[in-house]
Each structure stands twice: as structure tokens, then as C-alpha cells.
Amino acid sequence: MQKISFHLRRNLLFTGVIIVLIGIIWLFISLVFSIFTSDEQKVADPDEITNYIEKINQFVLQSFNEKQQLVHFVEADKYYNFKDEPALLLDPKVITYNAKGEEIYTLTSKRANYLDDGKIKFNGKVDINSKSGINYQINAKELSINTKTNDLMSDKQIVYLDKTAQVIAQGMRMKAIDDKMRLIGKTIINQDSGQKILTRNLFIDQAKSKKRYYSKHKTTYLASGNKIDSQGLDMDMNKGIATLLGKVKILQKSGTKIDTKALTIDQSKEHDIYRTTEKVHYQSKISDIRAKKGMRYDAKDQKVRLTGGVVGRYE
């Protein structure tokens, strides 16, 4: 009877612990769900906003500089003015202009705040259409437009959505005079084809219909079971060609190491092709090979071709 009682108590205790854990998990899920749904309700149910001191439907605002030149044009479906909070714009559209009166870009979003200093701060998804025809889609915790310079900036995490990639950074700067975006801090590029690139302070240049990503900081390229470290990145997204700059070290999941420089990765095929015309040092568990004039490496088939004065040692 003592053994049966002991096992019964242990089983009851175990069951009680499981029930408590399930309850904690459900409580956590409910809290998270309530946070997200409450944020969504704020956006989805603007008519429930009651603490405003002024409300304007079909809001329109024009701003001029000291020379009486139009700087930007703002319109919104609704405008709310509060006593102790920044003014709220729902479904805002902001058009910026240069000194010639030409449109620079148009920004649209679900909501934005109009600050006392004249800055406009967007929250959530922002679409940016440049006069050159370039479109930027950005998810931002905060994205501000400087109404004096028309430059865009954010000091919080942003997600830039490209056609074939998602880029996550810790902030951004974008000048109104060109189609160049500077992403700040640690930057992650997640490509739709499976490659992942880790770098810092990435520039995205889309001027003259090109789409170039480049960084002069340490870069890590992850794909096909390989880890590639380099000293920088220069990537043509239109052509699917990535160049890893400076000294390059390839580490395969098998433990094989390849040291070289200026590695070009051709992503235009169904799999990556690595190429270089620099010296190559190939080291595996059974071989140590050096080549003077380059390498072609098919990452999918795991085939390496070394060229020019190849010297090897095998164990």
C-alpha cells in the first residue's frame, strides 16, 4: 500500500505541475494576443478615439520654406489633435518637393504623428514612391521625415522589403536628392532563395534603375551548408551577383577550409557558383592544395575546380 501511495502521490504531483505549466503558457499567449489585438484595434477602430480636442476629416496641409516654395503636401483621411500627445494622422499621404517644385517622393501609411516641430513620424508599414519610379516598402517602429530637408530617418529597427529579399537593420537614413538608402547597425539580408547575409551599415543604391547593396564592413554569407567570412560586400541584386570583398574564408560543414580573396557568387542559377581569379588555399582532412590563378566551386554539387599552378599534398 505504501508503494501504491507513493506512486500515486508522484503521479498526482507530476500531473499538477503539467497543469500549472499549461496554465502559465495559456496566460502568456493570452497576454501577447491581447497586446497585439489592442494595437490592431487602435488602428482599425479610429472612431473609438474620444480624448481628442480637435478632429478634422479630409485633412490637408501645405508647408512652405522661407522663399515661399512648397516643401511638402500632407493629406489624411482623419486628423486628431490631443492636449498632451502628438497629433494623429490616419491614412496619411505625404508628397515632398524640391526647390524646382518637382515631386521627390510620396509616402503613404496607415498612421503617422504630426509633431510640434513640423516633423512627421510614421508607424508600421510605409510605402515610399520615388520620382524615379523606385518603390520602397518599409516596416518601421518609427520613420520620421524632416520637413526642412525632406530626408528620411529612423533610429529604431526597420524591415526593408525587396522583391527577392527581406533586409532587417537597426535604423536608416535616406537623402531626398537621390535614391540611396543607408541602413544602420547590424544588418541581416534574408533572400527568398535561402541565402542569409550578415553585415553592418549597408547601403542600398537604386539610382539609374540599378539595385546595388554594398558594405565596407565584415560580412558573413550563409548558404548551402557553407559559412563565408569576408571584409565587405558589393551585390548586384538585378543580376544576382554578389562579390565578397577582401580576404575570404569559406568553411564547409565537412570542416574543409578555403582561403582566397575577392570571391564572386553567381546566384542567377538555381544554386550558387563561387568564382575567383585570386590565389586559393584549399584544406580538407586529407589534402592541402594551393592554386595560383583561381577557383570555380559549384556549391550544390560540391565540386571544386582549381586552376593555375596547382600544387597539392594528400595524406
Side-chain angles (χ1 to χ4, degrees):
M1 291 295 293
Q2 290 180 351
K3 289 184 179 181
I4 294 174
S5 177
F6 171 76
H7 287 296
L8 180 61
R9 286 198 303 270
R10 186 179 66 179
N11 290 338
L12 289 173
L13 179 61
F14 180 76
T15 303
V17 170
I18 294 297
I19 293 173
V20 170
L21 288 174
I22 292 173
I24 293 173
I25 292 171
W26 273 109
L27 177 62
F28 175 77
I29 293 173
S30 300
L31 288 172
V32 172
F33 180 77
S34 65
I35 291 172
F36 280 99
T37 52
S38 63
D39 288 340
E40 290 175 357
Q41 288 173 354
K42 289 179 183 178
V43 177
D45 301 320
D47 291 335
E48 294 183 3
I49 300 174
T50 57
N51 60 331
Y52 59 86
I53 57 176
E54 181 184 19
K55 176 184 176 182
I56 302 175
N57 293 323
Q58 305 303 315
F59 175 78
V60 174
L61 173 68
Q62 290 180 308
S63 294
F64 299 85
N65 59 19
E66 296 176 353
K67 298 180 180 180
Q68 295 303 307
Q69 295 171 325
L70 182 62
V71 178
H72 65 266
F73 176 85
V74 182
E75 60 180 345
D77 183 56
K78 289 182 176 62
Y79 166 91
Y80 293 92
N81 189 18
F82 304 96
K83 183 178 180 181
D84 299 318
E85 298 177 17
L88 174 64
L89 303 175
L90 296 183
D91 293 323
K93 179 179 180 181
V94 180
I95 304 174
T96 63
Y97 299 87
N98 60 21
K100 297 179 180 179
E102 301 169 335
E103 292 186 14
I104 304 174
Y105 46 66
T106 301
L107 299 94
T108 55
S109 182
K110 289 292 184 183
R111 61 191 293 149
N113 291 114
Y114 195 87
L115 308 183
D116 292 337
D117 59 3
K119 289 183 180 180
I120 301 172
K121 184 178 292 184
F122 294 89
N123 306 105
K125 183 180 178 182
V126 183
D127 287 328
I128 306 171
N129 289 289
S130 170
K131 65 175 182 179
S132 62
I134 302 298
N135 176 261
Y136 303 86
Q137 287 189 340
I138 296 173
N139 286 330
K141 292 183 178 179
E142 287 184 4
L143 177 63
S144 299
I145 176 172
N146 188 320
T147 52
K148 294 181 179 180
T149 63
N150 283 331
D151 294 341
L152 302 177
M153 65 172 292
S154 176
D155 290 321
K156 295 188 177 182
Q157 186 183 85
I158 72 150
V159 179
Y160 167 65
L161 303 174
D162 204 343
K163 290 182 179 179
T164 59
Q166 179 195 73
V167 187
I168 305 170
Q170 306 310 304
M172 69 157 284
R173 299 289 187 275
M174 184 173 173
K175 288 187 174 295
I177 59 174
D178 54 31
D179 283 315
K180 292 182 181 180
M181 180 190 300
R182 178 163 64 96
L183 301 181
I184 300 171
K186 294 180 180 179
T187 306
I188 303 172
I189 305 171
N190 294 311
Q191 294 185 264
D192 293 347
S193 47
Q195 300 92 337
K196 185 173 186 177
I197 303 173
L198 312 176
T199 188
R200 294 183 63 87
N201 298 341
L202 180 75
F203 285 86
I204 298 178
D205 185 354
Q206 298 196 73
K208 298 180 181 179
S209 300
K210 61 186 174 185
K211 186 173 290 187
R212 179 186 170 208
Y213 291 8
Y214 61 93
S215 171
K216 296 181 179 179
H217 293 265
K218 181 180 177 181
T219 299
T220 299
Y221 184 97
L222 304 170
S224 304
N226 296 323
K227 177 185 177 185
I228 309 175
D229 291 323
S230 71
Q231 296 175 306
L233 171 71
D234 193 337
M235 192 170 183
D236 188 328
M237 293 294 286
N238 288 332
K239 296 181 179 179
I241 301 293
T243 301
L244 299 179
L245 307 174
K247 294 181 180 180
V248 176
K249 181 182 291 292
I250 304 173
L251 178 60
Q252 296 178 302
K253 57 184 177 182
S254 63
T256 296
K257 299 177 182 179
I258 304 174
D259 293 307
T260 187
K261 293 180 180 179
L263 184 71
T264 297
I265 301 176
D266 187 347
Q267 300 179 337
S268 62
K269 312 297 181 182
E270 294 182 357
H271 54 280
D272 289 353
I273 302 294
Y274 304 166
R275 293 187 180 93
T276 183
T277 56
E278 299 286 338
K279 293 180 180 179
V280 178
H281 186 194
Y282 180 97
Q283 302 173 79
S284 70
K285 295 179 180 179
I286 61 172
S287 63
D288 189 319
I289 308 172
R290 296 178 184 270
K292 292 184 178 180
K293 292 186 178 180
M295 171 186 72
R296 183 186 187 278
Y297 173 23
D298 189 318
K300 180 180 180 181
D301 297 336
Q302 294 291 298
K303 292 182 179 180
V304 179
R305 186 178 72 207
L306 303 176
T307 56
V310 179
V311 178
R313 178 175 58 82
Y314 297 88
E315 296 180 359

